[in-house]
Every structure is written in C-alpha cells, then in structure tokens.
Amino acid sequence: MNKLEERSLVVLKPHTLTRGLVGEVIRRFENVGLKLVGIKMVQVSKELADKHYPLSRREFIEGMGKKTLENYAQLGVDPVKELGTADAYEIGKLVRQWLVRMITAGPVIAMVWQGPSAIEVIRKIVGHTLPSKAAPGTIRGDFSYDSSYLANKGKRAIKNLIHASGNLEEAKYEISLWFKDEEIYQYPRDMETNPISQLVDQNGRD
Ligand code: UDP
Ligand code: MG
C-alpha cells in the first residue's frame, strides 16, 4: 500500500442481503476505482457487535443520540414524549441496543476497500447516516428513505444498508477486529498496471 492510500471497513448490513442489493453496492465502489482487498460473509456474534459498536466510545454513542435529536427537531417531535429523555447519550445507548440487534439479525458481508483517501471517498458514496437526508446518487439516498423518527417508532435501528469506517483511527480498529492479516490480499488494479491508464493519469485527464 503506498503512502497516499488508506483502507476502510465496509459492512453490508443484513437488510442489504435480504433486499438483494449486494452487487449494486459493490459495483459503486468498483466503479470509482477502489480496490477490494478483503471480503467475507459473517454471522455477527453479540460479542463482535459489542466490540464493533463500543459502548465505551462516548462520542460515538452521543453522536447517534444527536442525530436522533436533530431529526426530531426538524420534524417538531418532542424527544421526551417519544423516548422519555432529551439526553443525547441516553438516546444513543437506546439506539445502540437496536443497532446490535440489527447487525446480529442475519448474515452480513464484511469488506476491506483500499485506495487514495478511501475512507472519505467511501463515505461520500455511502451518503448521510439518515437516508432521508442522503443525497440522490448515494447508496443510502438511492435505496432508502428511513430516518431516526421512523426507526425509533419501530424500536429499531435506521435501515441505511451499510456501515463504513468514519475516520482513520476507526478504520484501523475495525479492520483489525474483523480481518486477520492473512485475509487481506494485494494485487494491482488495471489502472495501476495498464500503460494507457497510467498515461491518462499522468496527463491528469479522464
Ligand atoms: N443510527 C440509528 N439512529 C440514529 C443514529 C444512528 O439507528 O438516530 C444507527 C444507523 O444504523 C447508523 C448507526 O447507528 O448507521 C451508527 O451511527 P453513526 O453515527 O456511526 O452513523 P454512520 O457512521 O453509520 O453514518
Ligand atoms: Mg459511524
């Protein structure tokens, strides 16, 4: 892996498999030129789910609660009436329980994608956490209209199809949690070896 490259963990949540969207999602990452360096189907245990969504990462738990609160504010919904609290951390803990239940409900596809700025590029392709706010053309925006409000009403996590590492620190932790070193492979993609692609890259043209 060269210095400009990063790796990101992507997990296709169980509803992506039940909806038959696995190929569609993978195609989008392949199309932009990212390299798939690890892939497997996993029935996630409660133990793995707990480590993947760590209760000890307060800013992550609070972040989920804040997303719910923002969504409620936009819709004019009172969090205390709906959930019994307006505290972001308490709401985050509730959401996390539903999230663990969702990710363990059926098999997932776990993948490691590699490329320059892979983490940011993947987040761009995936779109906003709330599909109702995700731009058209993104995976979440194109295949769902779910929101915190709808999900919380049903006492479930938002069905936004996919998990993607949020930053470099998260990516490193998550990849080591899901993949052994020998499950990650190296090979050149066409654009790295094809002389015409290289010429085009050098000229900075498409
Ligand atoms: N989530 C939810 N309700 C919320 C916020 C988050 O169900 O109000 C779920 C959603 O499935 C999301 C996951 O929690 O993908 C992790 O939240 P995070 O803030 O890390 O969003 P992501 O990084 O997945 O965009
Ligand atoms: Mg996240």
Side-chain angles (χ1 to χ4, degrees):
M1 191 162 70
N2 78 40
K3 270 201 291 192
L4 292 174
E5 289 194 313
E6 292 173 352
R7 285 178 183 157
S8 178
L9 180 84
V10 169
V11 180
L12 307 187
K13 296 176 180 178
H15 52 280
T16 305
L17 282 74
T18 57
R19 288 186 59 188
L21 290 171
V22 172
E24 172 67 40
V25 170
I26 290 178
R27 182 183 66 77
R28 290 173 178 229
F29 297 134
E30 276 192 319
N31 276 0
V32 298
L34 289 163
K35 195 195 299 185
L36 182 61
V37 295
I39 183 166
K40 57 184 170 184
M41 188 179 269
V42 182
Q43 173 60 57
V44 180
S45 63
K46 170 84 170 50
E47 194 195 353
L48 176 57
D50 278 336
K51 287 184 181 157
H52 179 70
Y53 293 124
L55 195 51
S56 57
R57 265 187 61 208
R58 195 181 169 98
E59 84 282 1
F60 158 64
I61 305 292
E62 231 165 38
M64 290 193 295
K66 279 183 189 154
K67 283 173 185 169
T68 281
L69 289 172
E70 273 167 30
N71 190 225
Y72 281 11
Q74 206 175 20
L75 298 172
V77 174
D78 180 356
V80 179
K81 263 193 203 150
E82 287 288 319
L83 302 170
T85 176
D87 183 89
Y89 184 67
E90 289 306 315
I91 296 172
K93 282 201 293 189
L94 202 59
V95 170
R96 183 186 172 277
Q97 279 180 20
W98 298 329
L99 196 51
V100 167
R101 200 166 67 201
M102 177 213 266
I103 200 102
T104 55
V108 303
I109 306 284
M111 297 178 279
V112 180
W113 288 89
Q114 182 177 310
S117 306
I119 295 166
E120 194 188 339
V121 169
I122 287 172
R123 293 292 298 198
K124 184 184 68 173
I125 297 168
V126 167
H128 194 281
T129 305
L130 277 61
S132 61
K133 291 187 78 175
T138 63
I139 293 165
R140 289 168 169 173
D142 282 354
F143 296 108
S144 176
Y145 57 75
D146 207 5
S147 66
S148 303
Y149 178 70
L150 290 173
N152 295 350
K153 268 275 177 226
K155 298 197 185 313
R156 60 170 177 80
I158 296 173
K159 291 186 186 173
N160 56 10
L161 301 148
I162 191 161
H163 165 84
S165 302
N167 55 51
L168 198 57
E169 190 191 350
E170 207 175 272
K172 282 188 174 151
Y173 168 74
E174 291 174 353
I175 291 168
S176 66
L177 181 64
W178 288 76
F179 283 83
K180 297 188 191 114
D181 284 350
E182 60 269 28
E183 291 174 321
I184 297 177
Y185 296 87
Q186 283 312 320
Y187 61 95
R189 269 207 63 165
D190 181 65
M191 67 206 303
E192 293 171 282
T193 54
N194 182 320
I196 294 176
S197 304
Q198 279 177 5
L199 194 63
V200 169
D201 285 350
Q202 279 159 19
N203 289 339
R205 286 187 265 124
D206 297 332

